[in-house]
Amino acid sequence: MSTTAPRLRFRRRSLLGATALMVGGLSACSIETGGDDAASSGSADGFAFAFDPETTDSTQLLWMDSGDLKAVFIGAVIEEFGKQFPDVNTQYDGSGWDQVNQVVPLGIRNGSAPDVFALPQNVPPETAINEGWVQPLDDVLPDFATWKAGFPETALINGVHVFDGKTYSWPLNSTRRLDITQYISHAAAEAAGVSVPVEEVSTWDDLRSLAREITAAGTPGILSTADHLDIVVGNLANTAGWLGNSDGMNMRTGRFEYSSPEYLQALEFVLALVDDGSFVPGFLTLKDADARAQFPTGLAGISLNGPWDISQWEKDSPDFEYSILPLPSPDGSDYTIPFRETGANMAWLYADTPNLDAAAAVIEFMGSVDGQRAMIELSDGFLVSTIEEANNSADQTQLNDRAALVADLATRYMRACPQFEIRNEEAGKVTLKLQASDPSISATIEGIFTGQITDAEAALADLDSRLDEEMEKAFEAAAADGASVDYSELQFPNWDPTTDYAADDYAALER
């Protein structure tokens, strides 16, 4: 196999002009990945909390999650709450998923968990609820009914945020943002003899060729880590026509399809990039936070990750120049990435917290129009709300120009797919019965890349079978307990992947 390739010819796409692709110092979680708190030009002026320090037992507020882009908002809110109410000791810990995965379960066992926390990556909501880790917000928020009514009708979803009629979490921000895009270093491209700005890498062959050229010039071509390698493969599979959503299910058939031809094609393509020697050495043990920090200094030529990296680069490497491009497809054709609008960056209230008043006041503000508008502004527009009033009223002068670029890419390529949770209000009863299947897709993909799994197709087919079986069992168990649910409700034969699945489409199924 040759280690060199013909010179790439980059064509201009109508969506991305050369000016939009010239990125020199930009600002910024299906993926949040952890890391340092990011800076923002936004302001915490006008934050108002429904909290009375004279009638509360709250003495502290400890909030813990993975950090990253959302930290510019959550950190500012927690800090401002502490300034307004100095008798309450406040702390925001956004030190990454490794800390969340270790500290939260230990705190639950010891009775000292953070007052509000992100769930560890291997703990589904139904487990946290069944084990008594978390409590609903219904009787905790000062004016819960008004707060809940502020969200769109489909924002708080059964089996995602709502379980047995109780609301346990909420969508901090919309999930309509691309988890994986191409960030192409101008320095690495120039060293390989490629003109910048890099205007297009529209086919898989383009990407492979560019990665080879950059590698041959002395810089590893591709940067991706084990933390999100399954997302890279899944999104590339979508560019090949795979209809799997972020959970791997085809919502036309209601079946998991990780072993589909398109997914296998994408997996083989990424494995070929590794075989070319284009991936950063040791990428399977490299942490996302470290990869993010080292990319501007020459760790690789092309980073495959999401928009949360951008704010950190602006903060730490303001002179770093790079192009932003969507993922290529096999032949350069347009494609659709189905997504579930479940919201992202959900937080959960510790069941045994003694600081309910403080936690409730902060949660209520974060989910309000004012709070969501502040989130958009503090994140420079890279976080988008599920509440359109907040999006429309955000101060445009505080938004980064590149926020519009990545938002436009998400609008162009992403389409909301059907959700059983919206179709049936008792869906949460199924989710509560659902058991995790091990190894998961992320562990399976990692096993394939490490060589521990030698037959990828068989392993993925086994995963599909296990996931389908667990789903069927969950439906049976929920029905046995009296829930009005049927496995066929996972099937949406009227789904057109090229358009957002909307309320009229759900209604059409009932006619």
Side-chain angles (χ1 to χ4, degrees), residues 48-71:
F49 305 97
F51 181 77
D52 183 356
E54 302 298 325
T55 61
T56 182
D57 294 327
S58 297
T59 60
Q60 72 165 24
L61 176 59
L62 174 57
W63 186 299
M64 186 177 203
D65 59 35
S66 63
D68 251 343
L69 177 55
K70 61 184 173 293

Side-chain angles (χ1 to χ4, degrees), residues 221-491:
I222 301 285
L223 172 61
S224 186
T225 71
D227 288 339
H228 62 266
L229 200 54
D230 62 305
I231 309 299
V232 172
V233 175
N235 278 192
L236 283 169
N238 289 140
T239 75
W242 185 55
L243 295 183
N245 61 20
S246 57
D247 291 333
M249 180 178 284
N250 180 341
M251 297 310 298
R252 278 183 180 163
T253 64
R255 295 287 177 175
F256 292 92
E257 295 188 356
Y258 286 116
S259 58
S260 71
E262 298 88 354
Y263 195 93
L264 291 169
Q265 181 186 4
L267 177 59
E268 289 170 1
F269 171 65
V270 179
L271 287 169
L273 294 175
V274 175
D275 289 342
D276 288 345
S278 293
F279 263 65
V280 169
F283 69 95
L284 288 174
T285 58
L286 185 65
K287 295 300 181 183
D288 259 11
D290 296 331
R292 178 184 306 110
Q294 296 177 46
F295 181 59
T297 64
L299 179 63
I302 307 165
S303 176
L304 302 178
N305 208 351
W308 42 86
D309 284 356
I310 297 174
S311 66
Q312 202 66 40
W313 294 337
E314 180 177 73
K315 175 185 175 185
D316 296 337
S317 305
D319 297 327
F320 177 44
E321 295 184 352
Y322 56 97
S323 297
I324 302 175
L325 292 173
L327 282 178
S329 60
D331 61 0
S333 300
D334 277 346
Y335 54 84
T336 293
I337 295 182
F339 81 103
R340 303 171 71 244
E341 181 57 286
T342 58
N345 296 315
M346 292 181 289
W348 306 76
L349 181 61
Y350 179 36
D352 295 329
T353 176
N355 303 295
L356 279 176
D357 296 334
V362 169
I363 290 171
E364 184 178 55
F365 171 74
M366 287 183 178
S368 69
V369 172
D370 288 342
Q372 291 284 286
R373 180 169 52 245
M375 176 193 71
I376 297 164
E377 294 171 355
L378 286 164
S379 70
D380 296 332
F382 284 97
L383 290 179
V384 177
S385 178
T386 59
I387 302 174
E388 280 307 308
E389 183 181 349
N391 293 324
N392 295 335
S393 61
D395 183 354
Q396 298 300 307
T397 65
Q398 295 195 39
L399 308 187
N400 187 284
D401 290 341
R402 297 305 177 261
L405 173 59
V406 293
D408 285 347
L409 290 176
T411 299
R412 175 173 179 175
Y413 291 103
M414 300 183 74
R415 296 292 179 268
C417 67
Q419 296 177 230
F420 166 58
E421 298 89 348
I422 296 176
R423 183 178 188 176
N424 188 327
E425 65 181 12
E426 296 196 283
K429 296 179 180 180
V430 175
T431 309
L432 285 171
K433 301 292 186 180
L434 192 60
Q435 299 297 313
S437 188
D438 188 44
S440 64
I441 181 57
S442 60
T444 300
I445 291 298
E446 186 171 350
I448 291 168
F449 278 84
T450 60
Q452 293 175 305
I453 296 175
T454 57
D455 190 335
E457 184 173 2
L460 291 170
D462 176 67
L463 176 60
D464 286 341
S465 178
R466 286 186 284 110
L467 291 170
D468 285 336
E469 182 179 0
E470 291 299 338
M471 185 64 73
E472 290 172 359
K473 289 180 179 178
F475 269 88
E476 292 171 359
D481 284 351
S484 180
V485 294
D486 188 274
Y487 194 90
S488 65
E489 292 175 311
L490 289 176
Q491 301 167 5

Side-chain angles (χ1 to χ4, degrees), residues 9-33:
R9 296 178 182 174
F10 297 109
R11 300 176 300 279
R12 185 185 308 274
R13 300 183 86 163
S14 60
L15 176 69
L16 303 175
T19 302
L21 294 172
M22 286 293 291
V23 183
L26 308 182
S27 71
C29 188
S30 235
I31 52 180
E32 297 291 345
T33 53

